Amino acid sequence: MASVRFDKLNDEMLKKYLAVNPDSATAIGLHDPYDFHLPHGGFKKIEDSMRILEEWSRLGHKIAEEDSLSLEQRIGLQLIDQSIELQRFATDDYPIWKMFPDGLETPGALLFLMLSRDYAPFEFRVKAMASRLSELPRYLDEFRGRFDGDGHVKLWTEMAIETCQQLPGFLKFIEATAQEKVSLPVMADLKKGIALADEALRDHLSWLNEMLASAKGSYPMGAKKMEELLRIRGLGMSPEQLMVLGEKLLAEFKEEKRMVSERITNGKSVEEAAKIVQGKSPKTFEEALEATKNEMLEAKSFIASNRLATIDPDAKLEVVETPEFLAPVLPFAALYPPSYFDKRQEGQYVVTRPADPKDLSKHLNYAAIINTAVHEAYPGHFHQGVMTNKMHWILQMGPPEAPIAGVETIEGWAHYCEKMMFDHGYKATDEAAFELLNGAIWRACRIIADIKLAHGTATVDEMADFMTRETGMARDAMVNEAKRYTRTPTYALSYMTGRHLIIEFRKEVERKAGAGFDEKRFHDLIASHGTLPFNLLREVVLSDLGLSS
């Protein structure tokens, strides 16, 4: 039986938390008054958030001693505790908050969500964007206070400069989009906010260029810290065990790819097979976007007709080009999931235009589009986000500026879906198998690259060369990928690790359930708890299925 006092506590603490983190409020679908404000840009936000999480945990455990909590409530309390551990790690052990001088990730992502999501009248959203833009000078000034001229990383400073240079173009796009679509007073506020933001961006760019000259920080966290981070996340494997897994799977996938290539080419090489697969591709990026939309809908229909998962018929997913300022950190595609509290479950599936048009066929050929649409849309991230939002919001709690707790479940599910759909016969051609295996090889490479970059035993260029050689993907994209891995240690390895964990867990559930195994039920439970760390996900699924751990 659930505790009423615990639910009341959660509601009260969420209000406190969102008052400090209005950006998180926008992300989960609570908009007024949060959409009109940026958080504190400095360490104060992290400090205040930590204080709230600690109070939340203390009061929650006190209630747990006196009341009987439901499984969902117990899991929620464990998530709060894990969030505290992760935030402490990110604050003290690996203080990325003062290593990465890009103050524009949060404001930029918020503006993109507010522009692209139709969660409120456009007039309201533009008015809120104008307000947030007017706060950008204050936010960036506070953000710069995090840095004392020492400890920031040169590579990350270069990445921050690139973002700062690109954001003004996005602001012009916002202005052009709003022109003649909102009232004159709101348009005037938007122009004023953009003017203030432009001036603040010029000051911030000057500061970044000065910071670049003194950048001496090092991004590798080292073996011991990486092992500690994996422990907190509850993955159950050490970096050494993960490296063995990555190398083993890489060898297996390469051999499978060789055999598929021989079928495609009548006995010729992998390189010849790649030419054939990439030769079947859209002629333009715009055609690739349209093909992505169509593929998404076909996958959705296949899932419903084959009883693979429960599909929400009212959820809406829009396929759009990745904003230019986000392209360096999203080389291929990404999914902005629907917000928990929004009445309409809407998401954005962003696809990145290749820097070189000649690279279009490398990751936007028709076979690759099939695989990516399954991963990002149905039954991957978008479906997972919609299903997760049907559960209590506390199961999505996480620290404000620390590693995401359940990324192995989030990314592992989407990667699992690629193989699951193929195994069920969805577009199961040799060309599709080639791209599926290419993606699997890439994710196995990510385990290796993630660990080596975090340990400091390889450089970005070395890992970019390694991934380009193993996958055949464009090197420019692989450079951007490797750069991103340096900023998000243990994230990149979570794709293949998560897939491996879900596949092995499915085998366990099938053994225990025997003839009573229900694949659709299993998929619905995994997707519905899609943001939980895998160790907690396993506990919930076994409990719901009435199986012992």
Side-chain angles (χ1 to χ4, degrees):
M1 184 175 179
S3 167
V4 174
R5 287 201 302 159
F6 188 76
D7 283 343
K8 184 179 179 181
L9 170 69
N10 290 337
D11 291 339
E12 291 172 352
M13 297 309 296
L14 180 64
K15 290 179 182 177
K16 289 186 178 182
Y17 184 83
L18 296 182
V20 173
N21 297 277
D23 49 326
S24 296
T26 298
I28 65 174
L30 293 174
H31 301 292
D32 196 1
Y34 303 108
D35 279 10
F36 291 81
H37 302 290
L38 290 174
H40 192 283
F43 184 70
K44 185 178 187 300
K45 174 192 174 182
I46 302 170
E47 191 173 43
D48 289 348
S49 298
M50 187 65 162
R51 175 180 51 77
I52 292 167
L53 288 172
E54 289 174 339
E55 180 186 8
W56 200 337
S57 174
R58 178 178 58 80
L59 295 175
H61 280 285
K62 184 177 179 181
I63 291 174
E65 292 173 0
E66 301 167 355
D67 294 2
S68 177
L69 302 187
S70 67
L71 175 62
E72 185 178 78
Q73 290 175 329
R74 294 198 304 272
I75 294 295
L77 188 54
Q78 289 182 65
L79 270 179
I80 298 298
D81 291 342
Q82 188 183 50
S83 292
I84 292 170
E85 271 203 281
L86 285 169
Q87 189 62 64
R88 283 176 180 157
F89 180 88
T91 300
D92 301 324
D93 296 331
Y94 189 65
I96 196 169
W97 59 273
K98 62 178 181 179
M99 298 165 64
F100 180 45
D102 184 352
L104 298 171
E105 260 194 335
T106 294
L110 286 173
L111 291 170
F112 172 65
L113 288 179
M114 294 167 74
L115 182 68
S116 59
R117 282 187 180 167
D118 189 23
Y119 60 80
F122 192 55
E123 179 100 353
F124 172 89
R125 287 150 50 206
V126 173
K127 188 175 182 180
M129 283 190 279
S131 179
R132 275 182 160 156
L133 286 167
S134 69
E135 289 189 359
L136 190 63
R138 182 268 303 167
Y139 174 87
L140 289 176
D141 185 60
E142 292 166 348
F143 178 83
R144 291 190 288 269
R146 298 182 179 194
F147 302 87
D148 56 9
D150 187 29
H152 55 287
V153 177
K154 182 179 180 181
L155 173 63
W156 296 352
T157 307
E158 292 170 344
M159 294 167 69
I161 288 172
E162 188 174 1
T163 300
C164 193
Q165 290 171 333
Q166 291 171 338
L167 192 57
F170 183 56
L171 299 186
K172 290 180 181 177
F173 177 75
I174 292 174
E175 182 177 350
T177 302
Q179 195 74 44
E180 299 183 359
K181 294 180 183 176
V182 298
S183 64
L184 292 177
V186 170
M187 194 66 206
D189 287 344
L190 178 62
K191 288 182 177 180
K192 181 180 178 181
I194 289 175
L196 290 170
D198 280 337
E199 184 177 356
L201 290 173
R202 286 193 292 271
D203 291 342
H204 194 63
L205 183 59
S206 296
W207 175 78
L208 284 170
N209 283 318
E210 291 175 5
M211 291 284 282
L212 183 61
S214 62
K216 297 178 181 177
S218 176
Y219 61 76
M221 62 169 49
K224 288 185 178 180
K225 289 182 181 179
M226 189 178 206
E227 187 165 3
E228 174 65 5
L229 178 54
L230 291 170
R231 181 198 67 76
I232 296 171
R233 286 185 50 194
L235 280 184
M237 285 185 278
S238 68
E240 291 75 21
Q241 290 171 319
L242 286 169
M243 182 65 81
V244 170
L245 175 66
E247 291 175 340
K248 173 179 176 292
L249 292 176
L250 177 59
E252 291 175 358
F253 294 148
K254 286 173 67 175
E255 177 59 19
E256 288 184 54
K257 184 178 174 181
R258 183 190 64 76
M259 292 188 290
V260 169
S261 297
E262 288 184 353
R263 293 201 298 271
I264 292 173
T265 63
N266 292 319
K268 295 182 181 178
S269 67
V270 169
E271 290 74 21
E272 288 299 316
K275 290 179 183 178
I276 292 172
V277 173
Q278 292 172 13
K280 300 175 182 178
S281 66
K283 293 183 174 60
T284 67
F285 178 75
E286 287 68 29
E287 287 183 15
L289 273 187
E290 191 62 29
T292 299
K293 295 174 187 177
N294 294 334
E295 197 57 55
M296 172 186 80
L297 295 175
E298 287 189 45
K300 181 180 179 181
S301 177
F302 182 88
I303 295 160
S305 61
N306 287 271
R307 285 196 77 256
L308 295 178
T310 301
I311 297 295
D312 186 330
D314 299 321
K316 178 183 176 183
L317 180 58
E318 185 180 15
V319 179
V320 297
E321 181 178 351
T322 304
E324 192 173 292
F325 77 96
L326 285 174
V329 295
L330 300 174
F332 301 114
L335 192 284
Y336 283 82
S339 299
Y340 180 87
F341 287 101
D342 281 343
K343 292 180 181 179
R344 285 184 293 181
Q345 289 292 283
E346 295 185 8
Q348 288 74 41
Y349 175 178
V350 297
V351 182
T352 302
R353 185 187 295 268
D356 186 343
K358 294 178 182 178
D359 290 332
L360 183 72
S361 63
K362 289 188 176 180
H363 72 267
L364 285 172
N365 61 72
Y366 288 116
I369 288 172
I370 293 170
N371 207 45
T372 307
V374 165
H375 182 105
E376 301 292 353
Y378 289 102
H381 288 317
F382 179 67
H383 167 69
Q384 178 189 48
V386 172
M387 292 294 287
T388 299
N389 286 347
K390 296 179 186 296
M391 310 304 290
H392 195 283
W393 56 260
I394 198 170
L395 300 183
Q396 301 188 38
M397 276 301 299
E401 296 196 38
I404 298 173
V407 66
E408 69 279 4
T409 306
I410 296 169
E411 299 296 358
W413 164 256
H415 194 23
Y416 162 87
C417 287
E418 297 175 24
K419 183 177 188 301
M420 182 271 291
M421 289 284 279
F422 185 90
D423 289 346
H424 275 281
Y426 181 67
K427 305 288 181 78
T429 64
D430 284 336
E431 287 84 355
F434 184 90
E435 282 294 348
L436 188 151
L437 287 165
N438 213 35
I441 287 169
W442 177 29
R443 274 51 171 264
C445 288
R446 278 177 162 180
I447 295 179
I448 297 165
D450 197 346
I451 294 170
K452 287 188 174 183
L453 289 167
H455 283 189
T457 56
T459 65
V460 166
D461 281 339
E462 287 171 345
M463 288 298 93
D465 288 341
F466 164 67
M467 290 189 289
T468 301
R469 182 173 64 252
E470 297 293 354
T471 68
M473 294 182 178
R475 190 179 186 280
D476 285 349
M478 292 298 98
V479 170
N480 284 335
E481 281 284 302
K483 286 179 180 179
R484 181 160 62 96
Y485 303 166
T486 67
R487 281 195 46 238
T488 57
T490 76
Y491 192 112
L493 63 80
S494 297
Y495 291 73
M496 182 55 70
T497 302
R499 187 185 97 150
H500 171 75
L501 290 170
I502 293 173
I503 288 174
E504 293 303 307
F505 183 43
R506 174 173 172 155
K507 292 176 183 176
E508 177 188 350
V509 172
E510 286 179 322
R511 286 196 304 270
K512 290 179 176 179
F517 176 73
D518 185 335
E519 183 180 40
K520 182 172 182 285
R521 175 68 174 149
F522 178 78
H523 288 161
D524 284 350
L525 284 171
I526 298 287
S528 296
H529 298 87
T531 56
L532 287 180
F534 186 78
N535 60 330
L536 299 183
L537 170 82
R538 185 175 182 280
E539 181 180 346
V540 170
V541 172
L542 290 176
S543 176
D544 281 350
L545 293 175
L547 302 174
S548 59
S549 59

